[in-house]
Amino acid sequence: MATRTAAQRRLEERAAYDAYLATCPARELLDRLSDKWVSLVLTALAGGPLRYSDLNRTIAGVSQKMLTQTLRALERDGLLTRTVTASVPVRVDYRLTPLGRSLLPVMAAVKAWAEDHIEEVRTARLAYDRDAAEPPVSPP
């Protein structure tokens, strides 16, 4: 049996990270990143650290439960840090990590694309729904 170098082993391990493969662990990360609350939290923190209440005000429509779950998941994934400052009341700040900051250009681009193209998507949806609602025309 041939001995593999460390570089060859790393290359083989990296080949296992192909999101098209059903067993690829990167799929779990793609699932997390595709969540709307994740993209909104990350882009909201682009300008610097924010308190929980600031995030809750900035991201309209997010429930406290969903915001808390999202923040915990992002902290677990190493994309943000949570800093507790002892005071009355206790102050909790959230800040992007270098890993989270490296994701910002992608998330900001997706957010901007959605804002820029929502009208085109709405028009396409209306046309699709209209066409799907019409009965098919059968030949005479």
Side-chain angles (χ1 to χ4, degrees):
M1 181 171 179
T3 305
R4 297 176 304 167
T5 67
Q8 288 170 325
R9 284 192 306 274
R10 281 193 302 274
L11 187 60
E12 289 170 9
E13 289 168 4
R14 186 130 174 87
Y17 295 128
D18 178 351
Y20 289 115
L21 299 175
T23 58
C24 180
R27 283 191 176 194
E28 182 183 328
L29 185 56
L30 286 172
D31 186 48
R32 167 104 60 237
L33 297 177
S34 66
D35 181 89
K36 70 179 171 186
W37 302 123
V38 166
S39 64
L40 294 173
V41 166
L42 291 174
T43 54
L45 290 171
L50 291 173
R51 296 175 73 174
Y52 181 93
S53 58
D54 296 329
L55 283 165
N56 199 29
R57 260 192 313 278
T58 300
I59 305 170
V62 66
S63 68
Q64 288 186 347
K65 177 183 176 183
M66 203 66 227
L67 181 56
T68 298
Q69 286 177 353
T70 301
L71 291 167
R72 285 182 183 156
L74 291 172
E75 183 179 13
R76 181 173 181 248
D77 289 344
L79 299 175
L80 61 79
T81 58
R82 177 180 183 266
T83 305
V84 178
T85 305
S87 62
V88 179
V90 173
R91 180 183 174 106
V92 180
D93 291 291
Y94 295 90
R95 171 190 309 266
L96 292 175
T97 63
L99 183 61
R101 285 198 128 349
S102 73
L103 187 55
L104 267 182
V106 174
M107 299 309 268
V110 170
K111 178 181 171 286
W113 185 91
E115 292 167 347
D116 291 345
H117 296 282
I118 187 58
E119 288 306 319
E120 293 166 76
V121 170
R122 281 184 165 171
T123 300
R125 287 176 180 170
L126 287 171
Y128 179 91
D129 293 346
R130 182 189 62 244
D131 293 346
E134 293 176 3
V137 177
S138 56

